[in-house]
Amino acid sequence: MPAPQTIAVSAAAITTTNVPSAEASTNAAAPTATASATTATVNNTVSSSGRHQLRPVKYDYADSFACTYVVSVVAASVAELATYPLDLTKTRLQIQGEAASVAAIASTANATSSVTGGAKANMQYRGMVATAFGIVREEGALKLWQGVTPALYRHVVYSGVRICSYDLMRKELTENGTQALPVWKSALCGVTAGAVAQWLASPADLVKVQIQMEGKRRLMGEAPRVHGAAHAFRKIVQRGGIKGLWKGSIPNVQRAALVNLGDLTTYDTIKHLIMRRLHMPDCHTVHVLASICAGFVAAIMGTPADVVKTRIMNQPTDELGRGLLYRGSVDCLRQTVGKEGFVALYKGFLPCWIRMAPWSLTFWLSFEQIRKMIGASSY
């Protein structure tokens, strides 16, 4: 009998001895599970943190292509409305030396009385101020904004494309898109952006120039060629087809390339130069100085091409849309220099510069200020 009891006791002892071992095993496993859970949590946190570092928390729409495009169009519209009378004055000055205008005035003066002829002769304005006052006196103050509608349409394409394309090329040529480009790279970007933008916007520019000259034609007793932007557009298409919308586009593109070489390149270069050399922050003073320099250089570079462009686009055409006065930009340049001298290429330079300076100032201040208001980075 003692033997079974011993066995039972031994079994109980064994069982009892194994219980603490199981508890110890459970207790030992608990910290391990806790540690594993903690490690998994840390790993998840690190992984989650890593995902946040790789993916931005918030997308900056203010620096997007679409937002930059809209801001540039708005800023250009503000500048165009503020300085458009100077553009009209500049166009009248450039056109009045043209052979067609002189011949038209002479024939009209001979066909009318001496009093009327004297009044017509007064339309040959001398200088920017006399031209502006003559337009107000003989056509009305609101005529200073004649043709502003197609001018605004033009900037929907022109300003948006030139600013965004220049910005994209600048970012591709620099590491972070904010460094100053070398002058030759900036010049290449400015010429390319201006040429592409102006070629796309050339139809609106053609309509604008033709509308600007209608007030003068009516005062000279001639029948109006167009009655508005839509009518001018339809008439151009009827006479020359879709291709006729790009009449004068070559000198137009040449002018835009030179103007943006002066405007975009000068503004970008001078702005970063002032900030770097004078240790100034990106402020209104820097914007004002850079935009004034940009307007002056743009006027010097673009006035000769602007004279050629304006004369080609304003010349009468035949049924096929071909010009009656000039065969092209080279022929217009040759005739202008041959008949009126080299100085004629800078006819209207003063109003051109006086317009470009406030236009550039208004545009860049508006552009930079709007970008600052919406939280975009400095241009």
Side-chain angles (χ1 to χ4, degrees):
M1 295 301 297
Q5 186 177 2
T6 304
I7 294 172
V9 172
S10 299
I14 292 172
T15 306
T16 308
T17 345
N18 289 338
V19 169
S21 176
E23 291 177 357
S25 183
T26 304
N27 293 335
T32 305
T34 306
S36 300
T38 305
T39 305
T41 305
V42 171
N43 290 337
N44 289 338
T45 305
V46 172
S47 176
S48 175
S49 176
R51 285 197 301 270
H52 284 304
Q53 290 177 356
L54 295 176
R55 183 177 58 195
V57 179
K58 179 182 177 181
Y59 180 74
D60 194 0
Y61 289 97
D63 285 321
S64 65
F65 178 90
C67 189
T68 303
Y69 195 101
V70 172
V71 171
S72 63
V73 171
V74 172
S77 300
V78 173
E80 191 69 22
L81 288 172
T83 62
Y84 187 80
L86 295 173
D87 182 57
L88 180 65
T89 304
K90 175 205 69 175
T91 302
R92 293 288 183 91
L93 281 174
Q94 291 172 342
I95 291 297
Q96 72 178 11
E98 194 174 357
S101 296
V102 173
I105 292 174
S107 61
T108 305
N110 292 333
T112 55
S113 62
S114 59
V115 177
T116 308
K120 309 280 186 197
N122 290 334
M123 288 189 299
Q124 283 292 327
Y125 309 125
R126 299 294 181 184
M128 180 192 64
V129 177
T131 301
F133 277 104
I135 294 172
V136 173
R137 181 178 62 254
E138 298 173 1
E139 304 177 42
L142 292 180
K143 292 299 181 180
L144 291 173
W145 279 270
Q146 187 173 23
V148 71
T149 302
L152 295 178
Y153 291 160
R154 170 181 176 265
H155 280 291
V156 172
V157 179
Y158 174 72
S159 292
V161 172
R162 79 179 185 111
I163 293 297
C164 291
S165 58
Y166 182 85
D167 191 41
L168 290 176
M169 287 185 286
R170 182 178 61 178
K171 289 178 179 177
E172 289 294 327
L173 296 176
T174 57
E175 294 180 0
N176 54 8
T178 59
Q179 297 176 348
L181 285 174
V183 176
W184 71 271
K185 288 185 178 180
S186 181
L188 181 62
C189 293
V191 168
T192 304
V196 172
Q198 185 55 55
W199 188 84
L200 293 174
S202 189
D205 205 23
L206 176 61
V207 172
K208 181 196 74 171
V209 171
Q210 292 197 0
I211 290 179
Q212 283 179 335
M213 298 308 300
E214 282 308 305
K216 187 175 181 179
R217 288 178 58 86
R218 290 169 183 170
L219 284 178
M220 291 164 55
E222 298 181 3
R225 291 186 296 185
V226 295
H227 301 283
H231 180 249
F233 185 86
R234 290 194 303 269
K235 189 171 181 179
I236 293 171
V237 174
Q238 289 173 358
R239 293 177 65 88
I242 298 297
K243 185 179 178 181
L245 292 172
W246 274 266
K247 185 185 76 170
S249 61
I250 294 178
N252 219 3
V253 168
Q254 292 170 347
R255 172 194 176 271
L258 293 173
V259 167
N260 282 277
L261 172 63
D263 186 33
L264 288 174
T265 302
T266 303
Y267 182 83
D268 194 17
T269 303
I270 295 297
K271 175 183 174 181
H272 287 89
L273 183 65
I274 293 174
M275 294 171 61
R276 184 174 64 253
R277 294 292 181 86
L278 301 181
H279 305 287
M280 296 180 64
D282 189 8
C283 58
H284 290 308
T285 303
V286 175
H287 301 161
V288 170
L289 295 176
S291 62
I292 291 176
C293 294
F296 182 71
V297 176
I300 293 177
M301 300 292 293
T303 300
D306 191 42
V307 171
V308 174
K309 177 213 75 170
T310 304
R311 293 190 175 192
I312 288 180
M313 296 178 73
N314 186 66
Q315 68 174 328
T317 58
D318 58 13
E319 291 76 8
L320 300 177
R322 295 175 297 189
L324 299 178
L325 299 177
Y326 312 113
R327 294 190 298 270
S329 58
V330 176
D331 182 55
C332 179
L333 179 66
R334 180 182 59 81
Q335 290 192 39
T336 302
V337 175
K339 296 178 180 179
E340 303 175 50
F342 180 80
V343 181
L345 294 177
Y346 281 90
K347 179 174 289 187
F349 170 78
L350 182 60
C352 185
W353 175 59
I354 291 179
R355 177 184 183 264
M356 281 189 176
W359 193 98
S360 182
L361 176 65
T362 307
F363 171 78
W364 287 114
L365 285 179
S366 303
F367 182 73
E368 297 273 17
Q369 185 62 32
I370 295 174
R371 286 176 63 86
K372 183 179 179 181
M373 290 171 58
I374 64 178
S377 59
S378 174
Y379 188 74

